[in-house]
Amino acid sequence: MTKTISLLTLAASLLFVVNCSSLKVPRDMSDEQLYNTAVEELNADKGGFPWIFGGRDYDLIMAYLKEIQLRYTYSPYAALAEVRTADTFYKRGEYEQAAIEYEEFLKRHPGHVEAPYATYQVGMSYYEEIRSIDRDPTNTRMALQWFNTFVDKYPDAPEAEQAREHIHRCRNRLARREIYIGNFYSRRDNYKAAAGRYRIVVEGYNDTDKYQEALWLLGRAYAEDEQYELAREALGTLVQKYPNEKYTGKASSLLGEIQGKTAPPPAPAETTEQPAQPG
């Protein structure tokens, strides 16, 4: 028991010493020296387990970058320190704060040489926060928005090809989400609501990997809802465009089943006999 307490005390003491030493910023360092020291530490490959002995000293990095912005406000390194501050949050896995820092930098310095990098990194910060398709898609939409902005503004940037790949993944994910929700409605026999979700993919995500599946599901949902003309249109498009693909056989079979069928006439509106009005 005593040995355990001693080890815990030692670890706490080392943590305290490391944190305290990290915050000591020499007063005689220039803006360039502060910046270079922070960047060197930020880019150092120090592993990180156990982090109190071998990890990257983020406290030191942040202290140096903050010192640049406070002491050398009008130095070119002050703007660079803003970007590296965002990088620090990103490397720490604090992606939400990283996105905020990158965006603030872009608002203050839209024409800066680091603006393309910061734009791409905003997208990456949201991209890192993407969760499963049954969760809120806001981060996926934001990542997609920023990657599109990046590609539009900087089509020849080194990261442009990677951004395009991320755009494709984000669009696929959003398409998958619509199909996921459509299937939820379909399992509950709410085919009208299901078709609405599948149609979003067919009309808005026809460049994704989920387009064929969405056509099949849309045609099937329309057939189940007895909207046979719409079902034949969706299924026919699938068969014509992709004659030898995964869903073609099922689409052809369903087309045969609903051949000649028409939607039932609408039910007559109920009328309520009104009492005669006194003359």
Side-chain angles (χ1 to χ4, degrees), residues 13-266:
S13 300
L14 286 169
L15 177 59
F16 177 78
V17 169
V18 170
N19 283 340
C20 288
S21 63
S22 299
L23 299 177
K24 293 178 181 178
V25 181
R27 300 296 299 175
D28 59 345
M29 292 180 73
S30 68
D31 50 356
E32 183 178 7
Q33 289 173 325
L34 288 168
Y35 179 77
N36 288 339
T37 301
V39 170
E40 183 179 351
E41 181 67 20
L42 183 62
N43 294 331
D45 184 10
K46 295 186 175 182
F49 182 81
W51 66 269
I52 60 171
F53 299 105
R56 191 176 289 114
D57 194 339
Y58 290 113
D59 290 335
L60 174 70
I61 296 166
M62 294 296 273
Y64 276 38
L65 295 174
K66 183 178 180 181
E67 189 72 13
I68 295 169
Q69 295 174 72
L70 291 175
R71 197 193 307 173
Y72 302 102
T73 307
Y74 301 105
S75 164
Y77 289 100
L80 290 172
E82 294 178 33
V83 185
R84 302 291 83 81
T85 298
D87 287 346
T88 304
F89 282 114
Y90 185 88
K91 287 199 173 185
R92 288 174 69 167
E94 298 178 31
Y95 301 116
E96 184 177 350
Q97 188 60 39
I100 293 171
E101 298 291 335
Y102 287 124
E103 289 185 59
E104 287 299 316
F105 169 79
L106 289 168
K107 289 176 185 176
R108 288 191 288 266
H109 314 282
H112 196 277
V113 67
E114 292 261 9
Y117 170 77
T119 303
Y120 178 77
Q121 282 299 111
V122 179
M124 284 303 302
S125 297
Y126 284 113
Y127 189 81
E128 294 286 358
E129 288 283 85
I130 291 175
R131 299 294 178 260
S132 58
I133 59 173
D134 59 333
R135 304 282 293 275
D136 185 348
T138 298
N139 288 322
T140 308
R141 297 186 191 282
M142 292 300 295
L144 178 61
Q145 176 185 316
W146 280 96
F147 287 134
N148 278 326
T149 297
F150 176 79
V151 170
D152 289 343
K153 281 189 172 183
Y154 315 107
D156 299 320
E159 302 90 347
E161 188 58 36
Q162 190 67 36
R164 292 186 184 97
E165 291 180 11
H166 288 319
I167 288 170
H168 181 68
R169 293 191 188 103
C170 287
R171 288 181 58 76
N172 265 331
R173 179 171 287 274
L174 291 172
R176 285 176 56 207
R177 175 177 171 78
E178 295 301 332
I179 289 177
Y180 171 82
I181 297 174
N183 290 344
F184 172 85
Y185 287 125
S186 183
R187 287 193 296 270
R188 285 154 181 77
D189 299 331
N190 188 347
Y191 298 110
K192 182 176 181 180
R197 293 294 182 163
Y198 301 141
R199 191 167 57 248
I200 290 173
V201 180
V202 169
E203 295 176 354
Y205 297 93
N206 55 15
D207 60 331
T208 69
D209 302 339
K210 308 305 290 182
Y211 177 57
Q212 292 183 48
E213 181 181 358
L215 276 171
W216 155 246
L217 293 171
L218 179 62
R220 189 179 68 177
Y222 279 142
E224 293 286 357
D225 202 37
E226 298 184 323
Q227 298 186 64
Y228 298 115
E229 190 60 37
L230 291 174
R232 283 191 284 269
E233 180 182 343
L235 296 170
T237 299
L238 177 59
V239 171
Q240 289 171 15
K241 281 191 173 183
Y242 309 100
N244 300 306
E245 298 292 337
K246 178 178 178 180
Y247 297 99
T248 307
K250 291 189 286 189
S252 297
S253 178
L254 183 53
L255 274 172
E257 291 178 24
I258 64 175
Q259 187 65 33
K261 287 188 177 182
T262 58

